[in-house]
Amino acid sequence: MVSSMSASKIFGSNATFFGDVKEVFSFKKTVIKPSMREMTITSVAARPSPVSMPVTDRVQPETKLAAWTSVQQEKWEGELVVQGEIPLWLKGTYIRNGPGLWNIGDYNFRHLFDGYATLVGLHFENGKLKARHRQLESEAYKAAKKNNKLCYREFSEAPKAENFLSYIGELATLFSGASLTDNANTGVIKLGDGRVVCLTETIKGSIEINPHTLETTGKFEYTDSYSGLIHSAHPIVTESEFLTLLPDLIKPGYIVARMEPGTNERKVIGRVDCRGGPSPGWVHSFPVTEHYIIVPEMPLRYCAQNLLRAEPTPLYKFQWHPESKAFMHVMCKVTGNIVASVEVPLFVTFHFINAYEDKDDEGRVTGIIADCCEHNANTTILDMLKLQNLRSFNGDDVLADAMVGRFTIPFDGSPIGKLEAALDPNEHGKGMDMCSINPAYLGKKYRYAYACGAKRPCNFPNTLTKIDLVNKTAKNWYDKGAVPSEPFFVARPGATEEDDGVVISMISDKNGEGYALLLDGSTFEEIARASFPYGLPYGLHGCWVPKK
């Protein structure tokens, strides 16, 4: 029998456990190498409140890359030993959301996007780093735990019907939205009024959390009368507003809406009707400028037939309609009028980076420049994200090529826009996704972007890259065998240079390990890292909550 004293020697006096210490110790022993035991948790003057740590029955082998294995505990917290120096000005909490639990009992999910949301928090203050994680308690997650089976429709999963009649009944609940998941595993945002909300593409999957403890506090209920089922997973959020796109599957198009801080009511700014295809194109994200909202219309379009299927198709909830063409629409924020609508080359993107207004020498707006992580119109990127593909890398270079795709949308009445690479894709290994910028440059002309790139051969983005859109170059960070999550830029208070700040990422390392990483935003050199006591799964998007 392992004593609590023995466990505290290994994990540090600042990590407190309730429950079966032997079970907890047994799990830790499988994932922590001797060299890591002295790098996890240190004593601090103020002892934190005890934290319970339920341990799941399914323990992945140590040889598995942590990025694609389910999180082993529902929650944990402790202080991490820092190698290097955390800037004293960095005060606040970085919260990352993402799918971290990919199994229910003995049943394993198939796709990266199916996993139940795992929140990770990194709290920086006085040069120290405290970390915690916990599962988001959505209704989908709680029902799965209670019934030991899938109960709601996820990205590629549907509950198994016992018979034909139960399948028909489940379809009826799909039309009402009742069977759609609320598993908010995609993004996390801080509203202008300070509330922190986790999101996914279903509107019901909007869940408020406590940013300090990561506890689930309840549903984020919209008080308006809009009755749609889906929205963009990435709204545009500032201190003064919340902008979102609501795809209309009945009358193909998009409703553009705004929500004021302190309210839960979305108000319609305007509407864009689709110019091609049987349904709206997928709008995972969209860009804005100071005066305009850009609505992308991708030929990768929502598909009602695929939504109804119990088994996934190669394109899941979507279909590729190249004959329907691709378009970019520009709406005035104030009037809701469409000021430009142009055809552009076919494209596939999850994430837009930024956009700004192009002006002539006299300051008149002549068009819009909009940048995104573009996958060369290759729809196979969706199927590449199946977990079996991510877990079975054999050294072949199978990652789909990607670039910083730059759209040029003219305001001269031309019906055609441009899409071209903003810089040579070889600068970042022809890989590009999961991007952030200095938020002070949102909607404005900017120079730098931070993203995940590639060092070939690989099957998933495996570098962090700083893109210089003026010099058309990239600086790349790489740790062999590791999978970095989205690089998130935090500006130094009072900074005057665009890249004066730090870049935060969480690294799922080889052999079941992982660490938090800080890079200098300007030099892109490592300034600090702190190892977790075990590897955390790959995560998606995050937000910054500054300390008041």
Side-chain angles (χ1 to χ4, degrees), residues 143-458:
K145 280 186 61 181
K146 178 180 178 180
N147 298 287
N148 202 35
K149 66 178 182 179
L150 187 76
C151 299
Y152 291 84
R153 283 180 173 257
E154 302 295 338
F155 179 78
S156 74
E157 303 280 346
K160 303 301 180 185
E162 296 180 1
N163 51 53
F164 181 72
L165 288 178
S166 64
Y167 172 67
I168 296 300
E170 198 272 335
L171 289 185
T173 62
L174 173 62
F175 287 115
S176 69
S179 68
L180 290 178
T181 187
D182 68 339
N183 175 25
N185 66 2
T186 305
V188 55
I189 56 173
K190 184 181 79 69
L191 299 177
D193 55 31
R195 291 178 293 175
V196 176
V197 180
C198 296
L199 298 171
T200 188
E201 294 195 343
T202 63
I203 291 175
K204 67 185 290 188
S206 302
I207 300 177
E208 192 172 345
I209 65 168
N210 182 316
H212 307 294
T213 65
L214 304 186
E215 291 177 297
T216 302
T217 58
K219 292 281 189 182
F220 185 89
E221 301 280 0
Y222 297 95
T223 59
D224 51 75
S225 59
Y226 181 74
S227 59
L229 302 179
I230 55 178
H231 59 177
S232 170
H234 295 287
I236 301 294
V237 183
T238 68
E239 293 298 316
S240 60
E241 65 182 359
F242 169 107
L243 299 171
T244 188
L245 295 186
L246 307 168
D248 185 344
L249 303 182
I250 305 301
K251 182 183 177 184
Y254 313 89
I255 295 171
V256 182
R258 173 190 288 113
M259 186 171 70
E260 302 296 331
T263 75
N264 290 40
E265 182 182 4
R266 298 161 298 182
K267 296 181 179 179
V268 173
I269 298 173
R271 176 189 166 88
V272 175
D273 290 323
C274 288
R275 286 182 55 183
S279 60
W282 186 23
V283 284
H284 186 71
S285 67
F286 63 99
V288 300
T289 69
E290 292 183 88
H291 303 101
Y292 302 101
I293 299 163
I294 294 86
V295 179
E297 186 179 342
M298 241 190 333
L300 184 62
R301 298 179 180 274
Y302 295 97
C303 176
Q305 289 179 326
N306 288 353
L307 283 169
L308 296 174
R309 293 180 189 271
E311 293 295 323
T313 67
L315 293 181
Y316 302 92
K317 313 305 182 189
F318 316 103
Q319 277 190 344
W320 181 242
H321 290 277
E323 76 287 349
S324 71
K325 303 180 182 179
F327 305 92
M328 297 287 280
H329 312 279
V330 181
M331 176 182 291
C332 175
K333 283 184 180 180
V334 176
T335 66
N337 294 333
I338 306 301
V339 299
S341 180
V342 300
E343 181 184 342
V344 294
L346 302 184
F347 67 98
V348 168
T349 185
F350 299 159
H351 301 115
F352 279 86
I353 302 171
N354 197 22
Y356 60 89
E357 295 157 20
D358 202 17
K359 299 178 181 180
D360 61 20
D361 294 338
E362 297 180 359
R364 291 174 297 195
V365 178
T366 60
I368 300 292
I369 302 296
D371 296 335
C372 70
C373 304
E374 205 280 306
H375 299 282
N376 292 350
N378 184 353
T379 61
T380 63
I381 184 67
L382 276 172
D383 219 38
M384 288 181 179
L385 297 179
K386 287 194 298 189
L387 289 166
Q388 68 179 35
N389 295 336
L390 298 175
R391 291 168 174 163
S392 60
F393 179 55
N394 60 8
D396 292 339
D397 192 21
V398 295
L399 177 67
D401 288 351
M403 65 177 180
V404 179
R406 170 157 287 186
F407 292 96
T408 301
I409 307 170
F411 275 11
D412 61 2
S414 171
I416 303 296
K418 295 180 181 178
L419 171 59
E420 52 198 353
L423 74 162
D424 184 346
N426 287 300
E427 284 283 330
H428 47 82
K430 293 187 292 184
M432 175 58 46
D433 215 338
M434 310 303 290
C435 48
S436 73
I437 62 168
N438 184 330
Y441 289 79
L442 175 68
K444 302 176 182 178
K445 193 168 186 178
Y446 72 118
R447 177 173 180 174
Y448 300 111
Y450 302 90
C452 291
K455 184 173 178 62
R456 306 288 180 153
C458 59

Side-chain angles (χ1 to χ4, degrees), residues 459-499:
N459 69 336
F460 194 81
N462 59 358
T463 72
L464 299 173
T465 183
K466 176 187 179 182
I467 302 295
D468 185 331
L469 293 164
V470 173
N471 290 337
K472 300 187 181 301
T473 57
K475 294 180 180 179
N476 299 290
W477 175 94
Y478 173 70
D479 184 2
K480 186 177 180 180
V483 177
S485 66
E486 175 187 65
F488 191 91
F489 180 86
V490 179
R492 182 180 64 83
T496 56
E497 298 295 326
E498 183 180 343
D499 58 352

Side-chain angles (χ1 to χ4, degrees), residues 56-67:
T56 67
D57 295 330
R58 297 176 58 82
V59 178
Q60 301 289 348
E62 183 181 7
T63 55
K64 292 285 188 181
L65 180 64

Side-chain angles (χ1 to χ4, degrees), residues 91-145:
K91 297 179 181 180
T93 302
Y94 171 64
I95 302 173
R96 190 195 74 178
N97 192 7
L101 182 63
W102 289 294
N103 63 274
I104 306 172
D106 293 328
Y107 181 75
N108 289 295
F109 291 166
R110 289 172 281 202
H111 199 277
L112 172 65
F113 296 161
D114 287 325
Y116 293 117
T118 301
L119 297 168
V120 185
L122 302 177
H123 180 72
F124 300 90
E125 190 170 6
N126 299 324
K128 296 182 179 181
L129 173 56
K130 293 182 180 179
R132 58 168 44 92
H133 88 261
R134 67 186 304 149
Q135 294 301 113
L136 183 71
E137 295 185 353
S138 63
E139 293 302 319
Y141 171 70
K142 291 188 293 186
K145 280 186 61 181

